[in-house]
Amino acid sequence: MRGVPAVAALFAGTLMVGAAIGVAGTLLPALVKRELPVGADLMTGVYTMALCLGGALGAGLSIPLADALGGWSAGLASWALLALLALVAWRVLMPHHDDALTVPGGGSTRELLSQPLAWQVMVLMGSQSSLAYIVFGWLPTLLVARGYSESEAGWMMGASVMVQLVSALSAPWLARLGSDQRPALLIMLGLVGMGFWLLLQAPDVWRWPSVVLLGLGQGGCFSLALTLIVLRTATSRLAGQLSGLVQGGGYTLAAMGPLAIGVMLQFEVGLSLLTLVLLGIVATSMGFALLAGRNRRLEVDDAGRLVTR
Protein backbone atom coordinates (compact mmCIF):
# COMPACT_ATOMS: atom_id res chain seq x y z
CA MET A 1 0.00 0.00 0.00
CA ARG A 2 2.86 2.37 0.72
CA GLY A 3 3.87 2.06 -2.92
CA VAL A 4 0.78 4.04 -3.90
CA PRO A 5 1.85 7.69 -4.23
CA ALA A 6 -0.83 9.06 -1.92
CA VAL A 7 -0.58 10.27 1.65
CA ALA A 8 -3.65 8.26 2.74
CA ALA A 9 -2.05 5.05 1.44
CA LEU A 10 1.20 5.93 3.19
CA PHE A 11 -0.49 6.26 6.58
CA ALA A 12 -2.80 3.27 6.08
CA GLY A 13 0.07 1.04 5.01
CA THR A 14 2.23 2.21 7.90
CA LEU A 15 -0.56 1.43 10.39
CA MET A 16 -0.86 -2.07 8.93
CA VAL A 17 2.90 -2.59 9.12
CA GLY A 18 2.98 -1.40 12.73
CA ALA A 19 0.08 -3.64 13.74
CA ALA A 20 1.69 -6.67 12.09
CA ILE A 21 5.03 -5.99 13.77
CA GLY A 22 3.25 -5.72 17.13
CA VAL A 23 1.54 -9.09 16.71
CA ALA A 24 4.63 -10.86 15.35
CA GLY A 25 6.86 -9.41 18.04
CA THR A 26 4.49 -10.59 20.76
CA LEU A 27 4.30 -14.13 19.35
CA LEU A 28 8.04 -14.62 18.88
CA PRO A 29 8.93 -15.28 22.55
CA ALA A 30 6.14 -17.88 22.81
CA LEU A 31 7.33 -19.55 19.59
CA VAL A 32 10.92 -19.70 20.82
CA LYS A 33 9.77 -21.05 24.20
CA ARG A 34 7.78 -23.81 22.50
CA GLU A 35 10.28 -24.87 19.86
CA LEU A 36 13.59 -24.40 21.71
CA PRO A 37 12.83 -24.55 25.45
CA VAL A 38 16.40 -25.45 26.45
CA GLY A 39 18.14 -22.72 24.45
CA ALA A 40 15.32 -20.17 24.47
CA ASP A 41 17.47 -17.46 26.02
CA LEU A 42 20.25 -17.81 23.44
CA MET A 43 17.80 -17.96 20.54
CA THR A 44 16.18 -14.79 21.84
CA GLY A 45 19.60 -13.16 21.59
CA VAL A 46 19.92 -14.32 17.99
CA TYR A 47 16.60 -12.86 16.84
CA THR A 48 17.19 -9.70 18.86
CA MET A 49 20.43 -9.27 16.90
CA ALA A 50 18.42 -9.74 13.70
CA LEU A 51 15.97 -7.06 14.84
CA CYS A 52 18.82 -4.63 15.52
CA LEU A 53 20.42 -5.42 12.15
CA GLY A 54 17.12 -4.99 10.34
CA GLY A 55 16.51 -1.64 11.98
CA ALA A 56 20.00 -0.44 11.14
CA LEU A 57 19.68 -1.56 7.52
CA GLY A 58 16.26 0.06 7.23
CA ALA A 59 17.58 3.37 8.50
CA GLY A 60 20.66 3.23 6.29
CA LEU A 61 19.17 1.93 3.04
CA SER A 62 15.77 3.63 2.81
CA ILE A 63 17.09 6.87 1.28
CA PRO A 64 19.43 5.13 -1.23
CA LEU A 65 16.56 2.83 -2.25
CA ALA A 66 14.25 5.78 -2.76
CA ASP A 67 16.87 7.50 -4.91
CA ALA A 68 17.57 4.35 -6.93
CA LEU A 69 13.90 3.48 -7.50
CA GLY A 70 12.80 6.99 -8.37
CA GLY A 71 10.83 8.05 -5.30
CA TRP A 72 9.91 7.42 -1.71
CA SER A 73 6.79 5.38 -2.53
CA ALA A 74 8.72 2.75 -4.51
CA GLY A 75 11.49 2.77 -1.91
CA LEU A 76 9.07 2.05 0.93
CA ALA A 77 7.17 -0.56 -1.08
CA SER A 78 10.38 -2.43 -1.89
CA TRP A 79 10.61 -3.60 1.74
CA ALA A 80 7.54 -5.75 1.11
CA LEU A 81 9.90 -8.18 -0.64
CA LEU A 82 11.41 -9.06 2.74
CA ALA A 83 7.94 -9.79 4.12
CA LEU A 84 7.21 -12.00 1.10
CA LEU A 85 10.49 -13.87 1.62
CA ALA A 86 9.66 -14.39 5.30
CA LEU A 87 6.18 -15.63 4.42
CA VAL A 88 7.54 -18.22 1.99
CA ALA A 89 10.19 -19.35 4.47
CA TRP A 90 7.62 -19.66 7.26
CA ARG A 91 5.20 -21.62 5.06
CA VAL A 92 7.92 -24.07 4.05
CA LEU A 93 9.71 -24.42 7.39
CA MET A 94 7.03 -23.75 10.00
CA PRO A 95 6.74 -26.37 12.78
CA HIS A 96 3.78 -28.74 12.82
CA HIS A 97 2.36 -30.20 16.01
CA ASP A 98 -0.15 -32.92 16.80
CA ASP A 99 -3.01 -32.21 19.18
CA ALA A 100 -1.17 -34.25 21.82
CA LEU A 101 1.56 -31.64 21.87
CA THR A 102 -0.77 -28.73 22.49
CA VAL A 103 0.32 -26.77 25.54
CA PRO A 104 -2.24 -26.97 28.37
CA GLY A 105 -4.08 -23.79 29.31
CA GLY A 106 -4.22 -21.99 32.61
CA GLY A 107 -3.48 -18.52 33.81
CA SER A 108 -5.90 -15.83 32.69
CA THR A 109 -4.93 -12.25 31.87
CA ARG A 110 -6.54 -11.11 35.13
CA GLU A 111 -4.38 -13.58 37.05
CA LEU A 112 -1.31 -12.42 35.18
CA LEU A 113 -2.04 -8.82 36.13
CA SER A 114 -2.18 -9.86 39.79
CA GLN A 115 1.42 -11.16 39.71
CA PRO A 116 4.08 -8.59 40.76
CA LEU A 117 6.67 -10.42 38.64
CA ALA A 118 4.71 -9.67 35.46
CA TRP A 119 4.61 -5.95 36.31
CA GLN A 120 8.29 -5.92 37.18
CA VAL A 121 9.25 -7.36 33.79
CA MET A 122 6.86 -4.95 32.05
CA VAL A 123 8.25 -1.82 33.71
CA LEU A 124 11.80 -2.98 33.04
CA MET A 125 10.94 -3.46 29.37
CA GLY A 126 9.23 -0.07 29.23
CA SER A 127 11.96 1.92 30.97
CA GLN A 128 14.86 0.48 29.00
CA SER A 129 12.90 0.74 25.74
CA SER A 130 12.18 4.37 26.58
CA LEU A 131 15.93 5.03 26.53
CA ALA A 132 16.20 3.35 23.14
CA TYR A 133 13.36 5.45 21.70
CA ILE A 134 14.97 8.60 23.07
CA VAL A 135 18.18 7.66 21.24
CA PHE A 136 16.32 7.02 17.98
CA GLY A 137 14.22 10.16 18.25
CA TRP A 138 16.39 12.75 19.95
CA LEU A 139 20.05 11.74 20.21
CA PRO A 140 21.13 13.59 17.02
CA THR A 141 19.30 16.70 18.27
CA LEU A 142 21.03 16.45 21.64
CA LEU A 143 24.40 16.01 19.95
CA VAL A 144 23.82 19.04 17.73
CA ALA A 145 22.95 21.01 20.87
CA ARG A 146 26.23 19.76 22.29
CA GLY A 147 28.06 21.33 19.35
CA TYR A 148 28.48 18.50 16.82
CA SER A 149 27.50 18.89 13.19
CA GLU A 150 24.32 17.24 11.92
CA SER A 151 26.37 14.86 9.78
CA GLU A 152 28.61 13.75 12.64
CA ALA A 153 25.62 13.40 14.96
CA GLY A 154 23.96 11.10 12.43
CA TRP A 155 27.06 8.96 12.08
CA MET A 156 27.41 8.70 15.85
CA MET A 157 23.85 7.47 16.29
CA GLY A 158 24.26 5.01 13.39
CA ALA A 159 27.46 3.64 14.91
CA SER A 160 25.73 3.21 18.26
CA VAL A 161 22.93 1.21 16.64
CA MET A 162 25.39 -1.03 14.78
CA VAL A 163 27.33 -1.75 18.00
CA GLN A 164 24.09 -3.10 19.48
CA LEU A 165 24.45 -6.19 17.29
CA VAL A 166 27.38 -7.41 19.38
CA SER A 167 25.76 -7.15 22.78
CA ALA A 168 22.31 -8.28 21.58
CA LEU A 169 23.84 -11.65 20.71
CA SER A 170 26.28 -11.92 23.61
CA ALA A 171 24.14 -10.66 26.52
CA PRO A 172 22.17 -13.94 26.94
CA TRP A 173 25.49 -15.80 27.20
CA LEU A 174 26.58 -13.36 29.88
CA ALA A 175 23.30 -13.92 31.72
CA ARG A 176 24.03 -17.64 31.93
CA LEU A 177 27.14 -17.06 34.04
CA GLY A 178 25.15 -16.38 37.21
CA SER A 179 22.21 -17.92 39.04
CA ASP A 180 19.94 -15.14 37.75
CA GLN A 181 20.00 -12.20 35.33
CA ARG A 182 20.53 -9.34 37.78
CA PRO A 183 24.31 -8.96 37.30
CA ALA A 184 24.01 -8.97 33.49
CA LEU A 185 21.17 -6.44 33.54
CA LEU A 186 23.02 -4.11 35.90
CA ILE A 187 26.18 -4.28 33.77
CA MET A 188 24.25 -3.42 30.59
CA LEU A 189 22.32 -0.60 32.24
CA GLY A 190 25.56 0.71 33.74
CA LEU A 191 27.04 0.89 30.23
CA VAL A 192 23.98 2.85 29.06
CA GLY A 193 24.33 5.31 31.92
CA MET A 194 28.06 5.80 31.32
CA GLY A 195 27.45 6.19 27.60
CA PHE A 196 24.86 8.94 28.09
CA TRP A 197 26.94 10.85 30.63
CA LEU A 198 30.16 10.71 28.63
CA LEU A 199 28.38 11.58 25.39
CA LEU A 200 26.53 14.60 26.77
CA GLN A 201 28.87 15.88 29.50
CA ALA A 202 32.44 14.62 29.04
CA PRO A 203 35.08 16.23 26.76
CA ASP A 204 34.80 15.61 23.01
CA VAL A 205 37.64 13.10 23.06
CA TRP A 206 35.23 10.64 24.73
CA ARG A 207 32.57 10.86 22.04
CA TRP A 208 33.38 7.63 20.16
CA PRO A 209 34.09 5.49 23.26
CA SER A 210 30.79 6.73 24.69
CA VAL A 211 28.98 5.81 21.47
CA VAL A 212 30.34 2.27 21.80
CA LEU A 213 29.37 2.03 25.47
CA LEU A 214 25.85 3.28 24.76
CA GLY A 215 25.36 0.83 21.89
CA LEU A 216 26.68 -2.14 23.86
CA GLY A 217 24.45 -1.32 26.80
CA GLN A 218 21.27 -0.76 24.82
CA GLY A 219 21.65 -3.84 22.65
CA GLY A 220 22.25 -5.97 25.74
CA CYS A 221 19.34 -4.44 27.66
CA PHE A 222 16.86 -5.08 24.85
CA SER A 223 18.06 -8.64 24.38
CA LEU A 224 17.90 -9.42 28.11
CA ALA A 225 14.46 -7.83 28.50
CA LEU A 226 13.07 -10.08 25.76
CA THR A 227 14.93 -13.05 27.25
CA LEU A 228 13.20 -12.51 30.59
CA ILE A 229 9.86 -13.20 28.91
CA VAL A 230 10.87 -16.78 28.16
CA LEU A 231 12.85 -17.29 31.36
CA ARG A 232 10.08 -16.07 33.67
CA THR A 233 7.41 -18.42 32.29
CA ALA A 234 7.02 -22.18 32.53
CA THR A 235 5.14 -22.79 29.25
CA SER A 236 4.91 -21.28 25.80
CA ARG A 237 1.29 -20.26 26.45
CA LEU A 238 2.32 -18.27 29.52
CA ALA A 239 5.23 -16.83 27.53
CA GLY A 240 2.77 -15.56 24.93
CA GLN A 241 0.50 -14.03 27.59
CA LEU A 242 3.41 -12.37 29.39
CA SER A 243 4.83 -11.18 26.07
CA GLY A 244 1.55 -9.44 25.24
CA LEU A 245 1.49 -7.66 28.60
CA VAL A 246 5.19 -6.80 28.67
CA GLN A 247 5.41 -5.53 25.10
CA GLY A 248 1.98 -3.90 24.97
CA GLY A 249 2.20 -2.16 28.32
CA GLY A 250 5.96 -1.73 28.19
CA TYR A 251 6.05 -0.01 24.83
CA THR A 252 3.15 2.24 25.84
CA LEU A 253 5.21 3.29 28.85
CA ALA A 254 8.30 3.63 26.65
CA ALA A 255 6.55 6.13 24.39
CA MET A 256 6.44 8.60 27.29
CA GLY A 257 10.24 8.95 27.25
CA PRO A 258 10.76 10.65 23.87
CA LEU A 259 7.61 12.71 24.47
CA ALA A 260 9.03 14.02 27.75
CA ILE A 261 12.41 14.82 26.17
CA GLY A 262 10.67 16.59 23.29
CA VAL A 263 8.66 18.76 25.70
CA MET A 264 11.83 19.58 27.65
CA LEU A 265 13.62 20.57 24.47
CA GLN A 266 10.65 22.74 23.51
CA PHE A 267 11.12 24.62 26.77
CA GLU A 268 14.87 24.88 26.08
CA VAL A 269 15.96 22.83 29.08
CA GLY A 270 19.74 22.56 29.34
CA LEU A 271 21.82 19.47 28.59
CA SER A 272 22.79 19.04 32.25
CA LEU A 273 19.18 18.60 33.35
CA LEU A 274 18.40 16.40 30.34
CA THR A 275 21.34 14.18 31.27
CA LEU A 276 20.03 13.87 34.83
CA VAL A 277 16.61 12.85 33.49
CA LEU A 278 18.21 10.16 31.32
CA LEU A 279 20.25 8.88 34.25
CA GLY A 280 17.08 8.87 36.34
CA ILE A 281 15.42 6.56 33.81
CA VAL A 282 18.52 4.34 33.91
CA ALA A 283 18.29 4.22 37.73
CA THR A 284 14.60 3.28 37.51
CA SER A 285 15.47 0.46 35.12
CA MET A 286 18.15 -0.76 37.52
CA GLY A 287 15.64 -0.87 40.37
CA PHE A 288 13.23 -3.02 38.41
CA ALA A 289 16.10 -5.13 37.06
CA LEU A 290 16.90 -6.13 40.65
CA LEU A 291 13.32 -7.41 40.95
CA ALA A 292 12.66 -8.86 37.48
CA GLY A 293 16.12 -10.41 37.22
CA ARG A 294 15.61 -12.80 40.14
CA ASN A 295 15.44 -16.52 39.36
CA ARG A 296 11.65 -16.84 39.59
CA ARG A 297 9.00 -17.82 37.07
CA LEU A 298 5.26 -17.91 36.50
CA GLU A 299 3.65 -21.36 36.62
CA VAL A 300 0.20 -22.93 36.71
CA ASP A 301 -0.23 -25.10 39.82
CA ASP A 302 -2.19 -28.35 40.06
CA ALA A 303 -5.35 -26.42 40.86
CA GLY A 304 -5.03 -24.38 37.65
CA ARG A 305 -4.03 -21.17 39.43
CA LEU A 306 -1.23 -18.92 38.27
CA VAL A 307 1.58 -18.67 40.84
CA THR A 308 5.13 -17.33 41.03
CA ARG A 309 7.83 -19.75 42.17
Side-chain angles (χ1 to χ4, degrees):
M1 286 186 65
R2 299 199 300 177
V4 178
V7 174
L10 170 66
F11 281 98
T14 300
L15 286 173
M16 292 172 64
V17 170
I21 289 173
V23 173
T26 300
L27 292 176
L28 268 174
L31 179 68
V32 171
K33 182 76 174 181
R34 188 186 73 184
E35 299 302 321
L36 298 165
V38 176
D41 53 344
L42 301 182
M43 189 61 209
T44 301
V46 171
Y47 84 69
T48 304
M49 182 192 70
L51 288 174
C52 294
L53 178 61
L57 290 176
L61 295 179
S62 289
I63 299 300
L65 278 173
D67 292 339
L69 297 175
W72 61 263
S73 57
L76 289 176
S78 66
W79 292 100
L81 295 175
L82 282 181
L84 178 61
L85 177 62
L87 177 61
V88 172
W90 174 253
R91 189 67 186 90
V92 173
L93 302 173
M94 67 178 180
H96 297 275
H97 293 281
D98 298 328
D99 292 340
L101 295 177
T102 302
V103 178
S108 65
T109 301
R110 178 175 296 180
E111 288 182 297
L112 189 64
L113 290 171
S114 70
Q115 297 296 317
L117 179 59
W119 287 91
Q120 291 158 11
V121 177
M122 184 190 75
V123 178
L124 173 62
M125 170 65 83
S127 56
Q128 67 84 29
S129 294
S130 177
L131 294 168
Y133 292 164
I134 289 170
V135 167
F136 292 141
W138 292 115
L139 184 60
T141 302
L142 295 175
L143 293 176
V144 169
R146 178 78 201 276
Y148 298 109
S149 67
E150 292 183 355
S151 176
E152 187 173 15
W155 279 108
M156 291 166 71
M157 190 189 79
S160 179
V161 174
M162 290 303 295
V163 170
Q164 291 182 21
L165 302 177
V166 178
S167 54
L169 183 60
S170 59
W173 291 90
L174 178 63
R176 282 192 167 194
L177 298 179
S179 58
D180 57 40
Q181 288 70 51
R182 285 176 292 182
L185 283 165
L186 292 178
I187 289 173
M188 293 298 122
L189 287 167
L191 292 177
V192 173
M194 285 191 292
F196 273 127
W197 189 85
L198 290 172
L199 200 55
L200 299 178
Q201 297 297 323
D204 291 353
V205 69
W206 287 98
R207 63 187 184 279
W208 290 109
S210 61
V211 163
V212 173
L213 290 175
L214 182 61
L216 289 175
Q218 291 203 301
C221 286
F222 183 48
S223 180
L224 288 171
L226 288 175
T227 300
L228 288 183
I229 296 174
V230 298
L231 293 180
R232 296 295 171 264
T233 50
T235 66
S236 61
R237 184 182 296 275
L238 284 176
Q241 291 175 323
L242 182 61
S243 179
L245 173 65
V246 167
Q247 297 196 59
Y251 291 147
T252 301
L253 176 64
M256 299 299 103
L259 175 62
I261 296 298
V263 171
M264 294 175 72
L265 288 171
Q266 184 70 26
F267 284 96
E268 299 182 351
V269 172
L271 275 180
S272 296
L273 182 55
L274 286 167
T275 304
L276 288 177
V277 170
L278 292 172
L279 294 180
I281 299 175
V282 172
T284 301
S285 294
M286 285 182 164
F288 280 95
L290 290 173
L291 298 171
R294 294 173 296 173
N295 189 16
R296 308 178 70 192
R297 70 176 186 174
L298 298 167
E299 300 179 357
V300 178
D301 63 15
D302 295 336
R305 296 171 299 187
L306 185 63
V307 296
T308 301
R309 290 175 178 166

